[in-house]
Amino acid sequence: QVQLVESGGGLVQAGGSLRLSCAASGRTFWGYAMGWFRQAPGKEREFVAAINWSGGSTYYDDSVKGRFSISRDNSKNTVYLQMNSLKPEDTAVYYCAARNGGPSQAMGRWSYWGQGTQVTVSS
């Protein structure tokens, strides 16, 4: 079992930045891909970014490419999402996810989820 705890959400003005963190615990982090998804009010949860075990491969949704950056520190069992040039449409609850294997944009392929952290971008 893997437990995931997100932090770093908050209220920010458009154009600002936030860095989300996700700390994993419960079992070995080895071999797990990590990802970030988000869910806005009234919308389905959607893929944002993912990173493989080594951190050598990253994947982004087109809507965040060039603005968001995913990274991980395996010595701390933590994954990060640096969000720059934030827009009001980035407002959502952001969820961290983990899976034993390679990254995937398909939500159903992720086994473990955090409780989410709210990000609100004001215009």
Side-chain angles (χ1 to χ4, degrees):
Q1 192 75 4
V2 175
Q3 290 81 43
L4 305 172
V5 178
E6 303 98 333
S7 61
L11 174 64
V12 63
Q13 288 188 334
S17 298
L18 281 174
R19 189 177 81 153
L20 305 183
S21 299
C22 172
S25 63
R27 63 181 299 169
T28 179
F29 206 42
W30 190 93
Y32 277 72
M34 301 297 295
W36 288 95
F37 290 75
R38 66 186 179 186
Q39 187 167 17
K43 295 188 177 181
E44 294 186 352
R45 195 172 299 187
E46 64 179 11
F47 171 79
V48 175
I51 188 167
N52 71 341
W53 154 245
S54 69
S57 297
T58 57
Y59 308 85
Y60 299 94
D61 183 77
D62 286 346
S63 64
V64 305
K65 278 181 183 176
R67 300 188 298 122
F68 290 12
S69 177
I70 188 171
S71 61
R72 65 190 295 165
D73 184 343
N74 288 341
S75 68
K76 297 180 179 180
N77 285 358
T78 301
V79 63
Y80 306 97
L81 185 68
Q82 178 66 45
M83 305 186 295
N84 300 326
S85 302
L86 282 161
K87 305 175 181 180
E89 50 264 44
D90 294 319
T91 295
V93 177
Y94 282 71
Y95 296 91
C96 175
R99 69 183 303 267
N100 190 352
S104 172
Q105 295 191 23
M107 192 172 64
R109 293 193 173 189
W110 295 81
S111 303
Y112 304 100
W113 293 87
Q115 81 289 350
T117 186
Q118 177 70 46
V119 172
T120 303
V121 184
S122 62
S123 58

